[in-house]
Amino acid sequence: MKKLKLTQDRNAVAMRLIRDCQQAVGTIAAIIKDGSAIDEELATNCLKVAEFNLADLCKALGIETFTAKERDERFAALRTANMRVRELQAQLGNAQAPEMTQAALKNMADQLNGWWDLEGFGHISDIAFGQYCCKVDFSCNLFGNFRMVDSDTPVTDKTRKEQWHDNLRARGFVLTEEDREVAVVDCDQSRKVLADLIKARMPSATIYKFDNVHKNRGTEFLLRGVEVVIHKIDEILTLPVPKKKTE
């Protein structure tokens, strides 16, 4: 069986074409996934973009299926389709009232905060929605949902807190004690477990930075935060959150 070995340049081109193809098809999926109707012209142009990029991917892989004239015609049609997709996306964006957009963003921010609370870590210091993604700064302090001061159930809370720390260790986090408080050690194992947790819930997420501080006593560093970019913000709505307390 013949195998295709790509140069670094051809591999980069192939990956770009794959992403463009996925984005075009993803536009359709994002609209119709809940049963909503889609504009026929938008769907047509998205499929054209996907089709043209798929054809160019064949070329990048060394599988030529078009003549030079056909390639030129496809390139012109691709530019037209891309421009029309952007125009139609802008029209769809303008059709929604700013108040509705703001409410939707707040709902996603609440979903992120609820999920991080459920995981038992600290707060989220910043959530920034951009043009193509959402950047989140997650705190990695082990706050947990344990009211140790003025609690009506101090013994139960202490037991639950210890059980929670045992659960974190069982999941693979490396823990240590700092000023009588338990903290996550910044090491390869803790980073991997944290990265796997984030990727399991939001597959499109990319971790860009870990923040740490030096332990007061000893040589270890403590994990204090992680900066994450979520490329498909609809994944945020699938995050589990704590159940609301009934009155």
Side-chain angles (χ1 to χ4, degrees), residues 23-246:
Q23 184 176 0
V25 176
T27 297
I28 297 176
I31 296 174
I32 68 173
K33 66 178 182 179
D34 60 353
S36 299
I38 185 172
D39 181 87
E40 181 179 1
E41 186 179 1
L42 175 60
T44 300
N45 282 284
C46 283
L47 291 175
K48 284 183 179 179
V49 171
E51 182 182 8
F52 296 148
N53 279 292
L54 186 61
D56 287 335
L57 177 61
C58 291
K59 179 183 176 182
L61 295 175
I63 305 172
E64 187 58 76
T65 57
F66 294 92
T67 65
K69 179 181 179 182
E70 288 172 328
R71 283 198 301 271
D72 290 340
E73 291 174 347
R74 280 192 303 107
F75 181 72
L78 173 61
R79 285 193 303 173
T80 301
N82 267 320
M83 290 176 60
R84 189 56 185 153
V85 167
R86 287 194 291 269
E87 290 173 1
L88 292 168
Q89 286 176 331
Q91 291 175 14
L92 288 174
N94 292 333
Q96 180 167 293
E99 294 81 4
M100 294 292 292
T101 301
Q102 187 172 10
L105 294 178
K106 182 183 182 301
N107 182 51
M108 283 190 283
D110 291 342
Q111 193 92 5
L112 282 165
N113 277 291
W115 171 63
W116 205 234
D117 288 343
L118 186 65
E119 293 296 341
F121 289 96
H123 65 287
I124 295 178
S125 58
D126 185 59
I127 300 175
F129 290 96
Q131 186 174 3
Y132 299 108
C133 62
C134 173
K135 184 177 78 69
V136 185
D137 291 331
F138 292 101
S139 168
C140 293
N141 294 305
L142 299 182
F143 288 167
N145 184 23
F146 309 102
R147 183 185 175 189
M148 305 301 292
V149 179
D150 297 330
S151 173
D152 294 330
T153 55
V155 177
T156 301
D157 289 345
K158 183 179 180 181
T159 301
R160 287 178 54 238
K161 189 172 185 179
E162 291 172 350
Q163 290 174 341
W164 173 55
H165 291 157
D166 289 339
N167 176 263
L168 290 175
R169 292 187 183 94
R171 291 163 64 183
F173 286 102
V174 180
L175 305 185
T176 188
E177 191 168 306
E178 171 76 352
D179 295 331
R180 301 179 65 182
E181 289 293 333
V182 176
V184 179
V185 176
D186 187 6
C187 61
D188 290 342
Q189 182 172 324
S190 291
R191 289 191 178 199
K192 182 181 185 304
V193 175
L194 184 59
D196 289 346
L197 168 64
I198 293 171
K199 292 291 288 185
R201 293 300 185 184
M202 296 174 290
S204 73
T206 301
I207 294 178
Y208 276 85
K209 182 176 65 175
F210 289 97
D211 290 326
N212 60 26
V213 295
H214 190 267
K215 190 176 180 181
N216 290 336
R217 291 174 293 277
T219 60
E220 295 171 321
F221 282 82
L222 308 179
L223 200 57
R224 285 297 185 241
V226 57
E227 180 181 301
V228 178
V229 172
I230 305 163
H231 299 280
K232 295 181 179 179
I233 62 175
D234 60 315
E235 294 173 351
I236 296 173
L237 299 177
T238 66
L239 295 172
V241 297
K243 294 181 179 179
K244 293 183 178 179
K245 295 181 179 180
T246 58

